[in-house]
Amino acid sequence: MDRVLGDKKTILMLLGPALLVYTLVMLVPVLISLGYTFFEGNAITGFSFVGLDNITRLFHDPDVRHALWFTLKYAVILTTLQVALGYGMAILYVFALKRGSGVVRTLLFFPVVLPTVAVALLFQKFFEIAPQTGPVNAILNSLGFASVDWFGDAGHAFVVLILMDLWRSAGFYAVLLYAGLVDIPEEMLEAARLEGAGTLQLIRHIVVPLSMPVLLSSLVFSINGTLKVFDSVVALTNGGPGSETTPLTLYMFQTSFSYGEYGYGASIALMLTVLCLLFTIFVFRSSRRDVTES
Amino acid sequence: MATAFVSRFARQLPVRLLVLVLLVIVVYPLVWLLLGSFKTQDEFLNGSTWALPQHWQFSNYSDAWTTGNLSTYVRNSVLTVGPALAFIVLFGVAAGFALEVMVWKGRNAVLLTFLLGIMVPGQMILLPLFTSYFQLGLTGTLWPLIITYTAIGLPLTVFMMATYFRAIPREIFEAAVLDGASMLRAFFSIGFPMARNAVFTVALVQFFFLWNDLLIALTFTNTSDLRTIQVGLLNFTGEFGQTEYGPLFAAICINVFGCLALYLFLNQKVMKGLAGGAVKG
């Protein structure tokens, strides 16, 4: 039996294609990209060896510092808000709407399946000031406020960006966390209620600790996505005004393809990868400490 | 009795209001978008943003489809996402089977290698791939997109399928082998059909992921004939010289409501798949 289950030829036939594509198109390019960090130039002009120049340049480039700061600010704020909002919605589904939450869940999940580019264009027009006055400015006007040029400065553009990505993703995290919450045994909640626990106490002492694992996987998932933000920014602000809303991903893209600096682009990509790794490890480590403390 | 009813209603009022507000926030922009796709340019610039279309201008849709080249973009998206999805499913399910059902040394290491791919940002592979496709003469075709999409979709698919096959008792396949089937036959006649629902879920998740991709499509489409729907939409205003609101809204509508229709059609399986995956992760 082991001979058949371990048949080398069959394993090769089944695993071969996937492993080949994955190796050639993911693993090897990652290694080549690491190699690029020591070079300057691009595919058309050729490469020349520059040693660690690209890495040193990373630490002195004010644009990188700005893009890094923007990425971190965006990632931390959006991850916090989207997981918190999703958690709130999940609690609403499980404890307030109970069995009847199906339709609401489906409707609030709508934005998740929509293409980011389409949503970004929609939000651009929704917050527009001229030539047409979008609904948001129309509401401001009817309340007696002046219209706001939402894409005219970094602060306002950032607010629209965060609002848009919350709109897009809250429904997803709600469903993800909902799956964790429905697994909490009904008897446990009933027992706590009989002991006289109020809704808030119930949430704090029973629901949150019991849903910790799924909450943590949501955080890891979310931070890995928000650090890599690209579509939303490109389609909503294209990094502007100026380069005020440019994250690392977009800066890497511009450096590589607008300026043809592959070596430096690869260095920025490496920085992004390290960032994702660090944050994932950070979330996992802090979770382990929580578990051992309690 | 009546007071009990009233007090119960009053108690639920905040929750109902909250749900109503959430629903309006999610649904209203979509309604506004749909109504806008039937308006004339004049209504956009001079009318109230709340108004309904005066005389429903259906030609916005034909303008978007032909003058706006949306037909080309949709065709390109279908021609890249379709083959990539087929490769991802076929290769991914087979690999999941080989890694979980078959017994051999080093399979855990290989599974872990696939897992690593989930975290690597796309930016990390763009530059070497761009160079390779250029040297292979693939630039100017849709192949770079199909190949890259296949590779990017594999890690998650392999991981999810391996998790799925782990839950199936190996005895089923052993019985098939005792009856004289080869493992290859056992995979195609038993493994793949059994995993039908899981395959469906994975394919759906990957479809939305690839259809909505911008980074890869933007990198490897150097001419306007090759643009996928997302890249095309991003450059849509350029086709007309100035912002033509009606056709733009119609183009966004086609993209948005197309995805929405597909999602509603397949809704229950998506929700089930997501919930299943979340509990395991």
Side-chain angles (χ1 to χ4, degrees):
Chain A
M1 184 56 66
D2 282 353
R3 202 174 44 82
V4 184
L5 281 174
D7 181 37
K8 291 271 170 353
K9 223 172 78 190
T10 314
I11 292 171
L12 200 67
M13 282 177 78
L14 291 174
L15 185 64
L19 199 57
L20 189 73
V21 173
Y22 179 68
T23 308
L24 286 181
V25 189
M26 290 275 286
L27 295 181
V28 172
V30 165
L31 294 178
I32 298 179
S33 188
L34 284 176
Y36 276 174
T37 56
F38 300 107
F39 289 88
E40 201 177 75
N42 58 51
I44 294 142
T45 61
F47 293 94
S48 55
F49 187 77
V50 293
L52 289 173
D53 279 9
N54 286 322
I55 307 291
T56 7
R57 190 173 150 199
L58 267 184
F59 292 98
H60 296 103
D61 186 346
D63 290 335
V64 161
R65 202 168 304 152
H66 192 274
L68 177 64
W69 169 237
F70 180 82
T71 306
L72 290 176
K73 188 171 73 168
Y74 170 88
V76 170
I77 292 180
L78 184 61
T79 292
T80 312
L81 289 179
Q82 76 189 170
V83 174
L85 185 61
Y87 200 54
M89 282 160 69
I91 285 177
L92 186 75
Y93 296 165
V94 178
F95 298 109
L97 298 175
K98 296 184 181 140
R99 302 255 175 277
S101 73
V103 178
V104 177
R105 234 159 51 214
T106 306
L107 283 168
L108 294 185
F109 194 79
F110 272 4
V112 178
V113 299
L114 306 182
T116 314
V117 175
V119 172
L121 292 176
L122 169 62
F123 268 68
Q124 248 178 29
K125 303 301 166 207
F126 209 73
F127 283 81
E128 196 168 59
I129 178 167
Q132 64 115 14
T133 308
V136 172
N137 277 323
I139 290 176
L140 286 178
N141 290 343
S142 65
L143 292 176
F145 296 102
S147 291
V148 173
D149 184 2
W150 290 95
F151 301 101
D153 70 278
H156 284 108
F158 186 72
V159 170
V160 179
L161 184 65
I162 293 283
L163 285 179
M164 178 185 99
D165 279 328
L166 267 185
W167 188 83
R168 272 181 355 96
S169 60
F172 174 77
Y173 288 95
V175 169
L176 205 66
L177 290 160
Y178 170 83
L181 289 184
V182 285
D183 285 346
I184 295 175
E186 191 64 37
E187 302 82 49
M188 210 163 200
L189 299 171
E190 205 49 54
R193 265 195 213 107
L194 287 177
E195 303 273 329
T199 309
L200 284 180
Q201 278 178 308
L202 208 64
I203 289 174
R204 210 180 123 213
H205 294 294
I206 298 191
V207 176
V208 172
L210 280 180
S211 56
M212 219 39 172
V214 69
L215 206 54
L216 278 170
S217 25
S218 300
L219 277 179
V220 170
F221 195 80
S222 166
I223 198 85
N224 266 303
T226 51
L227 283 172
K228 293 177 198 162
V229 60
F230 182 77
D231 307 19
S232 330
V233 175
V234 171
L236 189 72
T237 66
N238 200 13
S243 62
E244 290 285 343
T245 58
T246 305
L248 281 175
T249 48
L250 180 57
Y251 186 57
M252 176 271 167
F253 194 84
Q254 288 166 344
T255 310
S256 311
F257 297 111
S258 308
Y259 305 114
E261 297 185 69
Y262 280 24
Y264 196 43
S267 308
I268 303 172
L270 176 63
M271 188 178 188
L272 187 69
T273 310
V274 172
L275 213 59
C276 288
L277 257 172
L278 285 181
F279 267 89
T280 307
I281 294 170
F282 174 74
V283 175
F284 272 127
R285 299 251 344 221
S286 48
S287 74
R288 195 161 300 148
R289 206 173 48 233
D290 278 352
V291 173
T292 46
E293 267 173 15
S294 62
Chain B
M1 186 73 193
T3 40
F5 179 77
V6 169
S7 78
R8 211 182 114 218
F9 187 80
R11 209 150 22 91
Q12 288 188 340
L13 195 64
V15 170
R16 275 158 202 252
L17 270 177
L18 187 65
V19 171
L20 190 71
V21 169
L22 282 174
L23 286 177
V24 169
I25 291 175
V26 164
V27 175
Y28 182 71
L30 298 176
V31 174
W32 182 73
L33 172 72
L34 186 64
L35 290 176
S37 70
F38 296 110
K39 288 184 180 179
T40 61
Q41 184 81 349
D42 181 57
E43 283 175 78
F44 267 105
L45 299 184
N46 303 317
S48 160
T49 189
W50 310 108
L52 293 172
Q54 299 263 300
H55 10 250
W56 299 66
Q57 198 172 40
F58 290 97
S59 63
N60 286 339
Y61 279 86
S62 49
D63 281 354
W65 193 251
T66 54
T67 321
N69 288 332
L70 205 63
S71 54
T72 315
Y73 305 149
V74 170
R75 194 199 63 205
N76 286 337
S77 273
V78 170
L79 284 180
T80 49
V81 174
L85 214 51
F87 287 136
I88 290 174
V89 166
L90 190 63
F91 297 171
V93 177
F97 185 86
L99 286 169
E100 210 44 66
V101 179
M102 313 271 305
V103 187
W104 48 287
K105 253 194 191 146
R107 59 197 180 116
N108 282 326
V110 174
L111 187 60
L112 212 68
T113 316
F114 272 110
L115 256 178
L116 275 179
I118 297 179
M119 227 189 52
V120 175
Q123 275 81 1
M124 207 53 195
I125 59 169
L126 284 187
L127 292 168
L129 287 180
F130 193 85
T131 315
S132 307
Y133 293 142
F134 180 73
Q135 283 162 350
L136 290 170
L138 292 176
T139 316
T141 67
L142 290 173
W143 282 107
L145 286 183
I146 299 176
I147 297 169
T148 318
Y149 283 163
T150 307
I152 284 195
L154 277 175
L156 188 66
T157 309
V158 170
F159 176 67
M160 283 173 84
M161 292 320 298
T163 319
Y164 177 81
F165 280 122
R166 194 173 301 152
I168 297 182
R170 197 174 272 134
E171 284 78 24
I172 293 176
F173 302 105
E174 289 176 349
V177 169
L178 283 179
D179 286 342
S182 67
M183 273 317 269
L184 208 57
R185 171 104 196 269
F187 168 69
F188 280 109
S189 324
I190 306 173
F192 201 94
M194 261 183 101
R196 211 170 36 224
N197 282 334
V199 169
F200 184 81
T201 309
V202 171
L204 208 65
V205 170
Q206 295 291 353
F207 169 81
F208 280 112
F209 181 70
L210 297 183
W211 187 264
N212 298 349
D213 162 74
L214 182 67
L215 178 66
I216 311 289
L218 207 55
T219 309
F220 298 122
T221 52
N222 51 350
T223 62
S224 59
D225 308 342
L226 292 176
R227 283 177 184 161
T228 62
I229 182 161
Q230 310 309 338
V231 180
L233 207 55
L234 196 62
N235 295 296
F236 196 79
T237 317
E239 307 286 343
F240 291 92
Q242 58 156 11
T243 304
E244 286 281 348
Y245 283 93
L248 175 63
F249 273 51
I252 303 175
C253 265
I254 292 173
N255 201 355
V256 159
F257 290 100
C259 284
L260 216 51
L262 190 71
Y263 160 67
L264 279 178
F265 183 59
L266 307 164
N267 159 42
Q268 296 222 284
K269 296 205 173 189
V270 185
M271 286 294 195
K272 260 187 227 149
L274 264 180
V279 175
K280 277 174 205 117

